[in-house]
Amino acid sequence: MPSPEHVVIIGNGVAGITAARHIRRISDKRITVISAESDYFFSRTALMYVYMGHMKWEHLKPYEDWFWKENRIELKKAYVKKIETSSKMLFLEGEETLNYDQLILATGSAPRFLGLEGEDLQGVQGLVSKQDLELLEENTAHSKAAVIVGGGLIGVELAEMLHTRNIPVTMLIREKAFWQNVLPLEDAQFISRHIESHGIVLKHETELKKINGRNGSVNSILTNTGEEIGCDLLGIAVGVKPNIGFLEDSDIEIDRGILVDEYLRTNVPNVYAIGDCAQHREPLKGRKDIEAIWYTARMMGETVAQTICGNAFRYQPGHWFNSAKFFEIEYQTYGVVSANPGEQEQQLHWEHPDGTKAVTVAYDPGSFKFLGINSFGIRMRHEVLDRWLTEERDLEYVLKHLRNANFDPEFYAHHEKEIFSSFNERSGYDSSS
């Protein structure tokens, strides 16, 4: 009896493990998952809660240790140095080799640095991996002041983490407001005010120019405005990049990420890429070629499992959505709400007087078609908003039925009049009639 086909997955994040689970569910293939980061799959989004003392390391594992043996998924902690696609062989650190029949690359992201002198000083770091969090524990054991460069999701997570340890934080934000390269200006200003309300110092329209060190450690930074700010921790949070350095001398075609087609196939037969490291050769309309977020990683894992098991399946992520957290404020986005809307998009913005809740709705000013929504501090129902986008509902319909998309309809009903009043003033028609 021939041996079962061997599927090797490099990376044990949500993309790789989702692929492994679905391959096992629909096939008897041999599955090996390789990771140099950790022994077991863990919830990366919960890393911050370990640092903050809300969780322990063992709480991050979604599956019990027996799960892997029970489901015949082999786990191997190792670092892959090289892939030889002609022989279908992986070369691991320590001179070990491993053969594969099908290979899935799910190597995730690495922190993106700025290329400035001094980035190798002690106290300068990013925050993506388990090792980064362990380094943060070491770097902040006696920290007196921190500077964070970058106004994105990793930056605000790091700020909240340090805030719980009473470490003063200054953030350098290149834009006029927080995450303004993603959020419309009013939304970004709303988030800036909320972050500042926690005592975090935001320096907008400010960039890092120089890193100063003493005795091998960072001790201050210089901004483009000429200001020197003392710090013993410098968090680099200007984004992430696909973790693909080990592929530079391989036959697998890469650009900023690993190039894949609509089936998540690379240019090499039997080699696939999913998750943060994958770059779509022809991204779908309205989508980016690299989307480093949890839900797309999970969907790619499900998709590639079908293709590997003989049911060729195109990657179809559906309508864009995402969620995050800015200190206490939960953020959700559905559809298209542009940071810099053009002539084909107008936006309606409402904020609660207490500064903890806001809604921005985007629509086409010509047809009044609903394009998307951002919500802050108001939890929305995914299935409802996704359906409205598919049905191409108009603005009037969405505004009249928005309470149906709200998990807290009593809150919405209480504020419905002021929300409509704000939106009516901007849109020029009576949405409450």
Side-chain angles (χ1 to χ4, degrees):
M1 185 175 180
S3 299
E5 185 177 58
H6 188 196
V7 179
V8 174
I9 302 169
I10 304 178
N12 70 346
V14 63
I17 295 303
T18 300
R21 288 178 48 245
H22 282 263
I23 291 169
R24 173 55 64 238
R25 182 176 59 83
I26 57 180
S27 81
D28 290 320
K29 299 179 188 294
R30 178 187 170 195
I31 302 171
T32 300
V33 178
I34 304 175
S35 172
E37 181 179 13
S38 59
D39 292 313
Y40 294 99
F41 166 55
F42 65 90
S43 175
R44 192 173 304 279
T45 55
L47 277 175
M48 64 183 293
Y49 299 110
V50 174
Y51 183 88
M52 293 162 66
H54 301 164
M55 302 176 73
K56 296 182 179 180
W57 280 112
E58 55 266 29
H59 297 155
L60 300 188
K61 295 189 291 187
Y63 307 108
E64 298 288 347
D65 294 351
W66 55 259
F67 172 87
W68 310 101
K69 186 175 182 180
E70 180 79 13
N71 287 276
R72 293 176 289 121
I73 298 174
E74 303 171 44
L75 302 181
K76 187 173 185 62
K77 190 171 183 182
Y79 177 75
V80 179
K81 296 192 301 182
K82 179 183 175 183
I83 300 174
E84 188 177 271
T85 58
S86 58
S87 61
K88 294 187 175 181
M89 183 174 290
L90 307 180
F91 293 84
L92 312 180
E93 202 168 57
E95 307 308 316
E96 188 179 358
T97 60
L98 184 69
N99 285 96
Y100 67 86
D101 295 304
Q102 303 265 13
L103 178 64
I104 301 175
L105 302 172
T107 53
S109 295
R112 184 166 66 85
F113 282 73
L114 297 166
L116 293 175
E117 184 179 350
E119 288 183 339
D120 58 346
L121 290 169
Q122 183 176 339
V124 181
Q125 68 165 98
L127 183 64
V128 173
S129 68
K130 177 177 180 286
Q131 286 74 20
D132 291 334
L133 191 67
E134 292 168 341
L135 180 61
L136 186 66
E137 284 283 5
E138 177 184 330
N139 283 334
T140 58
H142 306 288
S143 184
K144 303 298 182 184
V147 170
I148 299 172
V149 183
L153 299 182
I154 293 175
V156 74
E157 283 186 0
L158 182 53
E160 182 176 357
M161 292 160 68
L162 298 174
H163 181 67
T164 64
R165 302 251 180 130
N166 298 314
I167 299 172
V169 177
T170 299
M171 302 188 73
L172 309 185
I173 311 298
R174 185 175 57 184
E175 294 84 12
K176 292 181 180 179
F178 194 88
W179 213 27
Q180 196 199 336
N181 61 324
V182 173
L183 298 175
L185 180 58
E186 287 181 300
D187 289 354
Q189 291 172 332
F190 168 79
I191 293 299
S192 280
R193 290 192 294 271
H194 180 69
I195 294 172
E196 289 174 327
S197 73
H198 288 80
I200 308 299
V201 176
L202 297 188
K203 293 188 176 292
H204 298 106
E205 298 182 277
T206 304
E207 298 182 42
L208 176 65
K209 183 178 180 181
K210 186 180 179 183
I211 304 170
N212 300 316
R214 181 186 299 149
N215 299 324
S217 299
V218 61
N219 74 325
S220 71
I221 60 97
L222 187 69
T223 73
N224 63 330
T225 64
E227 181 181 8
E228 184 174 3
I229 304 173
C231 63
D232 47 33
L233 179 79
L234 176 60
I236 305 294
V238 295
V240 295
K241 61 181 180 180
N243 185 21
I244 59 172
F246 71 108
L247 297 175
E248 289 180 358
D249 295 324
S250 75
D251 295 328
I252 299 168
E253 191 174 355
I254 61 175
D255 181 32
R256 292 181 299 117
I258 304 168
L259 292 167
V260 297
D261 65 10
E262 67 269 33
Y263 294 96
L264 305 175
R265 300 175 298 199
T266 70
N267 64 305
V268 177
N270 303 309
V271 179
Y272 304 79
I274 58 176
D276 294 11
C277 66
Q279 179 181 349
H280 302 277
R281 292 180 184 274
E282 297 182 7
L284 296 171
K285 184 179 179 181
R287 307 297 294 241
K288 295 180 180 179
D289 57 351
I290 299 175
E291 294 182 334
I293 58 174
W294 182 89
Y295 93 87
T296 55
R298 178 179 56 78
M299 293 179 71
M300 288 187 213
E302 296 174 359
T303 298
V304 80
Q306 293 290 334
T307 297
I308 277 183
C309 293
N311 178 26
F313 206 81
R314 285 186 175 87
Y315 173 61
Q316 295 286 349
H319 300 296
W320 169 259
F321 74 94
N322 197 9
S323 62
K325 187 169 164 284
F326 303 97
F327 283 78
E328 299 89 357
I329 292 181
E330 291 187 35
Y331 156 71
Q332 293 173 281
T333 184
Y334 299 89
V336 175
V337 186
S338 304
N340 298 292
E343 293 182 358
Q344 303 303 311
E345 178 184 349
Q346 287 189 14
Q347 298 173 350
L348 306 175
H349 179 79
W350 168 83
E351 288 183 23
H352 190 280
D354 69 6
T356 66
K357 303 171 188 67
V359 177
T360 295
V361 177
Y363 65 98
D364 184 318
S367 64
F368 283 94
K369 185 177 80 170
F370 171 58
L371 299 178
I373 185 171
N374 287 346
S375 68
F376 301 89
I378 305 171
R379 188 171 294 180
M380 296 293 187
R381 297 182 184 275
H382 180 155
E383 66 276 9
V384 174
L385 290 163
D386 191 69
R387 184 174 69 249
W388 290 348
L389 288 166
T390 297
E391 294 171 348
E392 297 188 344
R393 292 292 186 176
D394 63 22
L395 177 66
E396 183 175 6
Y397 179 92
V398 169
L399 295 182
K400 284 184 175 180
H401 296 85
L402 198 54
R403 72 181 71 184
N404 298 331
N406 192 337
F407 269 105
D408 186 2
E410 288 188 13
F411 164 83
Y412 187 77
H414 182 68
H415 294 281
E416 183 176 27
K417 186 174 182 180
E418 61 188 88
I419 292 172
F420 278 177
S421 176
S422 173
F423 284 177
N424 291 341
E425 184 179 334
R426 297 190 178 205
S427 64
Y429 74 89
D430 185 1
S431 59
S432 60
S433 60

